[in-house]
Amino acid sequence: MKLTERQQHIIEIVKENEPISGDKIAHTLGLTKSTLRSDLAVLTMTGILDARPKVGYIYSGLGFQPMIQDRLSSLTVEDIMLAPVSVKQETTVQDAITALFMYDIGTLYIIDDQKEMVGVVSRKDLLRSVTMGNYQSAPVAVVMTRMPNIFVAYPDMPVLKAAKSISRHQVDSLPVMESRTSNKIIGKVSKTTLVNLLIELTDKELDA
Ligand code: ADP
């Protein structure tokens, strides 16, 4: 659901002046009450405003849910992606583990000499190779998940679609590819990115 600018304006007026009658809201906006009827109906039906007979409209405090949805559905991967960390496929498992600590991340993207993505290595992949021994000199290419079995995102992909892909495929992150015809990585979207976005959106709403 998307709130119109006028509906958002009405919420602001009610927040500042509650309880406030429909007539007064209309007066503040320089409109007639009948013009506002459908907006007020939407805002009360969604539970954002509470209409109390003989008292007026009151802000219920429940407004954040549809608004978060509004903001979320307008965001694409490009708006929230972070810089990816890539290493070459010859990198040893030991150096890959060091990179995880150095960059404080959980996933490394593996690239070839043309800087094209060839695989993904996660914490568990590296742990597994440690338990198998010989990890000091073994290249990450031996333990990585390979293309084309990698779930990816694109800059113009809606954030919710990327979140669903992460959840459905049970991975921690998606590499963001330059385009549908390129294997160059330009970013990443991870579970952490999504949690931080949720907090940011909710905080803005609670501060509003
Ligand atoms: P962890 O292993 O630390 O729990 P993940 O859940 O991300 O991290 O990784 C689980 C498995 O999925 C690993 O074998 C990893 O190589 C692979 N993997 C990670 N990200 C992706 C991805 N975007 N697409 C496909 N496979 C992935």
Side-chain angles (χ1 to χ4, degrees):
M1 187 195 121
K2 189 151 176 58
L3 294 181
T4 64
E5 239 171 72
R6 189 201 278 165
Q7 287 161 356
Q8 291 184 27
H9 198 171
I10 292 172
I11 295 171
E12 293 312 312
I13 293 170
V14 175
K15 271 188 197 169
E16 280 165 27
N17 305 285
E18 64 184 358
I20 179 170
S21 68
D23 285 330
K24 279 201 184 129
I25 298 172
H27 180 75
T28 311
L29 287 169
L31 298 166
T32 62
K33 198 180 164 194
S34 62
T35 316
L36 292 190
R37 192 153 293 138
S38 61
D39 292 321
L40 290 169
V42 167
L43 294 172
T44 48
M45 273 186 318
T46 50
I48 298 173
L49 296 187
D50 198 5
R52 303 214 177 139
K54 295 198 180 120
V55 177
Y57 289 93
I58 290 174
Y59 176 57
S60 68
L62 294 175
F64 74 94
Q65 218 172 343
M67 289 187 201
I68 284 182
Q69 209 174 325
D70 274 359
R71 294 209 187 104
L72 260 182
S73 54
S74 68
L75 287 173
T76 61
V77 161
E78 192 171 25
D79 299 321
I80 63 158
M81 67 186 188
L82 296 177
V85 177
S86 324
V87 297
K88 290 196 172 174
Q89 46 191 342
E90 302 80 32
T91 307
T92 62
V93 168
Q94 176 146 327
D95 287 346
I97 294 171
T98 307
L100 285 195
F101 282 101
M102 228 166 71
Y103 296 102
D104 193 17
I105 48 168
T107 309
L108 285 171
Y109 302 117
I110 315 302
I111 50 173
D112 64 14
D113 290 340
Q114 283 70 49
K115 299 210 161 95
E116 306 229 316
M117 184 173 73
V118 290
V120 169
V121 164
S122 74
R123 276 176 280 228
K124 257 181 262 154
D125 295 329
L126 294 171
L127 269 178
R128 197 180 305 119
S129 72
V130 169
T131 62
M132 291 184 325
N134 189 33
Y135 68 94
Q136 277 96 343
S137 56
V140 277
V142 176
V143 294
M144 70 187 183
T145 301
R146 289 174 179 275
M147 285 288 264
N149 301 321
I150 297 179
F151 306 107
V152 301
Y154 300 102
D156 60 356
M157 185 186 262
V159 164
L160 277 176
K161 192 168 177 195
K164 275 185 193 158
S165 176
I166 285 179
S167 168
R168 186 173 309 133
H169 300 117
Q170 299 185 338
V171 292
D172 280 355
S173 75
L174 302 177
V176 182
M177 312 313 285
E178 190 175 50
S179 72
R180 266 93 182 153
T181 52
S182 157
N183 278 343
K184 295 235 161 60
I185 315 166
I186 58 163
K188 71 164 180 181
V189 182
S190 68
K191 284 180 184 169
T192 311
T193 324
L194 295 170
V195 170
N196 287 340
L197 173 67
L198 190 65
I199 291 169
E200 197 188 308
L201 289 178
T202 319
D203 271 0
K204 258 189 209 151
E205 201 56 52
L206 293 176
D207 289 348

